Amino acid sequence: MAHAYRAGAGGVVTKSIGPKPREGYPNPTVEQLGSWGMLNAMGLPNPGMEEYPKEIQEALGAGAVVVGSLFGGDTEEFASLARRMEATGVHALELNLSCPHAKGYGSEIGQDPVELAQVVRAVKSATHVPVWAKITPNTHDPALLAEAAEKAGADAITAINTVRAMAIDPVLRRPVLANELGGLSGPAIKPIGLAAVWKIFERVRIPIVGVGGISSGRDAFEYLLAGARALEVGTAVATRGIQVFREVHEELAGYLEKAHFRSVAEAVGAAHRR
Ligand code: DHB
C-alpha cells in the first residue's frame, strides 16, 4: 500500500478484511486471460481484523490516504468490523457487498437491496468516517443497489466489483479455478463498469468511485465522463506495473486539457450533457 502511494496513487484501498484470519481457497486461484484481463477466486484471504492494523499503520506512516475494505456475513459483523477498522485511523470505509463467489458474503448480501441497506445503515450508525458501498455488477439493475445504499446513508458508491466468470481447461476438461467460479477483472469489464456508472449517475446524487478495467488515461477519462469522480485501478498494476498510477494521471491530464476541462470536477458526468 505504501509502495502504491509512493508510486503516485491518490489513495489506497485495502484487501477486504473480515473478523478472523482466512486462508482463502486452494490454488489455482488466479488465471491470466491475456488481453481480456484476469480471472480470480481468492476466497477473501486476509489476516483478520486483529492482525491487520499493523499493515494499515505502515501505509498511514507512509502518508497514504487509506480506505479500509470490509466483508462481513451479517449486519452485526459488518458494524463491529467497521468500528474496529475506523479505530485504525483509516480515512474511509469501503463495504465489500459484491465479491461474486464467497458463500455467505459479498454479493450474496449485496444483491438484495434490503439486506444491503441494512448493512449500510448499521455501519453508518456505528462509525463517523465516510462509508463507500461497493456494489456488484452481477444483477439486473446495479443502479437499484446504488439507490438503496444512498437512501441508507452511504457517502459514496464504488462501482463495479468483478463480473462472475469462469475458465475451463480443455485438456483436463475441468474448471481452471479450484473454486470453479471466479470474478473477471481488467479490460474486458470496462464497458460493463461504464454502463453501471452511467446508470448510477442518473439515479444517485452521492459521488461514484469508478472501477473496472482502468489501465490508461483514456479509460480514466471515459469513467469521469460517465459520472465517476474518483477512480480505482487494480488489475492494471499487474499488467502495466506500479507506475500505472503516475501514467494514468499524466495521460488523464492530457485528455482533460485537450477537452478544455479546467478540473476533474468539470468532466464528471459530462457525457450526459448535450
Ligand atoms: C475476491 C473478492 C472480491 O471482492 C472479488 O471481486 C473477487 C475475488 C476474493 O477474495 O476471492
Side-chain angles (χ1 to χ4, degrees), residues 13-270:
V13 184
T14 68
K15 176 71 179 164
S16 299
I17 303 301
K20 292 192 306 276
R22 224 177 115 98
E23 284 228 332
Y25 302 136
N27 284 325
T29 50
V30 180
E31 171 77 345
Q32 298 277 3
L33 296 178
S35 60
W36 290 6
M38 210 146 83
L39 181 65
N40 87 86
M42 309 301 295
L44 297 166
N46 77 98
M49 199 55 231
E50 199 148 315
E51 195 58 31
Y52 203 61
K54 286 185 221 152
E55 280 185 50
I56 292 178
Q57 286 320 313
E58 267 190 66
L60 290 172
V65 171
V66 181
V67 180
S69 173
L70 303 172
F71 72 92
D74 57 40
T75 303
E76 288 74 41
E77 196 162 81
F78 261 108
S80 121
L81 281 167
R83 239 181 255 115
R84 294 166 72 189
M85 183 63 96
E86 180 180 43
T88 68
V90 295
H91 299 87
L93 303 172
E94 186 174 85
L95 310 181
N96 184 339
L97 297 156
S98 43
C99 175
H101 48 70
K103 188 108 199 68
Y105 295 110
S107 64
E108 284 199 8
I109 295 170
Q111 269 171 346
D112 177 350
V114 176
E115 279 189 62
L116 174 145
Q118 282 167 354
V119 169
V120 171
R121 220 173 282 118
V123 169
K124 278 304 289 177
S125 46
T127 56
H128 304 283
V129 288
V131 174
W132 306 0
K134 184 167 184 179
I135 61 160
T136 179
N138 302 309
T139 172
H140 71 289
D141 189 4
L144 187 73
L145 300 175
E147 271 180 337
E150 181 180 49
K151 280 206 199 91
D155 299 284
I157 302 295
T158 304
I160 54 176
N161 204 317
T162 52
V163 176
R164 192 169 72 166
M166 77 179 300
I168 294 198
D169 187 310
V171 176
L172 299 176
R173 303 185 295 279
R174 285 286 305 150
V176 170
L177 298 176
N179 187 58
E180 301 171 358
L181 295 184
L184 182 64
S185 62
I189 73 164
K190 187 183 84 171
I192 301 170
L194 283 174
V197 169
W198 177 271
K199 292 302 286 180
I200 293 166
F201 184 79
E202 289 175 342
R203 307 244 296 264
V204 309
R205 299 267 53 92
I206 52 176
I208 304 165
V209 182
V211 51
I214 299 173
S215 71
S216 69
R218 176 183 168 158
D219 301 331
F221 191 48
E222 290 176 22
Y223 264 94
L224 294 183
L225 295 173
R229 89 185 27 233
L231 305 167
E232 294 177 5
V233 174
T235 302
V237 178
T239 52
R240 275 189 81 163
I242 200 75
Q243 70 278 8
V244 66
F245 300 108
R246 205 153 273 139
E247 289 170 1
V248 167
H249 272 149
E250 280 163 14
E251 292 164 17
L252 175 60
Y255 278 95
L256 290 168
E257 200 183 307
K258 229 181 269 154
H260 303 293
F261 289 120
R262 279 159 305 178
S263 65
V264 165
E266 281 187 11
V268 174

